[in-house]
Amino acid sequence: MFEKGAYVVCGSKGVCLVEDITTLNISGVDKERLYYILKPVYMAASTVYVPVDAAKESIRPILSKEEAHALIRVIPQIPLITITNDKLLEQEYRGCMRSNSCEELIRIIKTIYSRKQKRIEAGRKVTAVDAKYFRLAEDSLYGELAVALGMPREDVEEYITNEIV
């Protein structure tokens, strides 16, 4: 169980602050069931309600500072996604996003970066699917690393680049 005031990662909402753990007084909702009341850090107007007894599937603790540094150190060893069929690749991107795993987000970013470079060299544009998943993966990963490392989200990409060069 997460404590009030803890930072967690909640699926597509990214990093959230556990604002409260309480029952909900909403019609049609079990009045005895406990819920996490989560405030997404990077979506100020949002609130997420997750049943405590079902949280294992959708919520995990954010990386510690040490885990974030260790993750950044292994980025060069994380493999690219090797699927070449664009339809299957999009399914793989979706699966990686749903996994709620930083390593999977890095696989997406590295793969799309590589694909982007090859497409630009060939005089072609980045695909809309690649652009979409690149942005989603970067937002999720950089948001979590920013909170874990105690820095602004916009500084994370440069920080990673400096650490792995």
Side-chain angles (χ1 to χ4, degrees):
M1 190 160 164
F2 299 104
E3 300 292 321
K4 190 173 168 181
Y7 284 103
V8 297
V9 177
C10 180
S12 65
K13 301 299 181 194
V15 178
C16 297
L17 178 66
V18 178
E19 200 169 68
D20 204 356
I21 304 165
T22 186
T23 56
L24 299 178
N25 190 12
I26 300 172
S27 71
V29 174
D30 182 353
K31 306 285 188 245
E32 303 297 313
R33 195 172 191 192
L34 280 178
Y35 283 80
Y36 289 115
I37 313 296
L38 307 176
K39 284 305 248 184
V41 172
Y42 300 107
M43 292 184 232
S46 293
T47 301
V48 182
Y49 304 92
V50 179
V52 169
D53 58 359
K56 254 189 172 151
E57 295 83 47
S58 58
I59 300 177
R60 67 169 173 80
I62 68 162
L63 297 173
S64 67
K65 191 171 194 168
E66 296 75 26
E67 290 168 331
H69 284 296
L71 177 70
I72 291 168
R73 281 194 300 275
V74 300
I75 286 174
Q77 286 80 51
I78 295 175
L80 300 179
I81 298 167
T82 56
I83 297 168
T84 54
N85 177 301
D86 282 354
K87 289 284 183 211
L88 295 176
L89 188 57
E90 184 176 6
Q91 287 178 349
E92 184 69 12
Y93 290 162
R94 255 186 268 148
C96 290
M97 292 300 299
R98 274 194 307 271
S99 75
N100 212 359
S101 158
C102 292
E103 289 85 358
E104 293 299 306
L105 296 174
I106 291 168
R107 287 183 68 218
I108 291 172
I109 293 167
K110 286 179 67 173
T111 299
I112 295 173
Y113 182 82
S114 174
R115 284 171 50 91
K116 179 179 171 183
Q117 296 307 109
K118 288 176 186 161
R119 290 184 72 84
I120 289 170
E121 286 170 15
R124 294 162 55 206
K125 290 183 176 180
V126 176
T127 67
V129 168
D130 279 1
K132 171 187 169 184
Y133 283 98
F134 191 77
R135 183 184 48 78
L136 289 171
E138 274 195 329
D139 285 350
S140 293
L141 180 67
Y142 295 173
E144 181 170 0
L145 289 175
V147 173
L149 297 171
M151 67 174 54
R153 184 164 72 171
E154 57 271 8
D155 295 349
V156 172
E157 184 175 6
E158 183 180 349
Y159 179 81
I160 291 171
T161 302
N162 293 335
E163 287 295 307
I164 62 174
V165 170

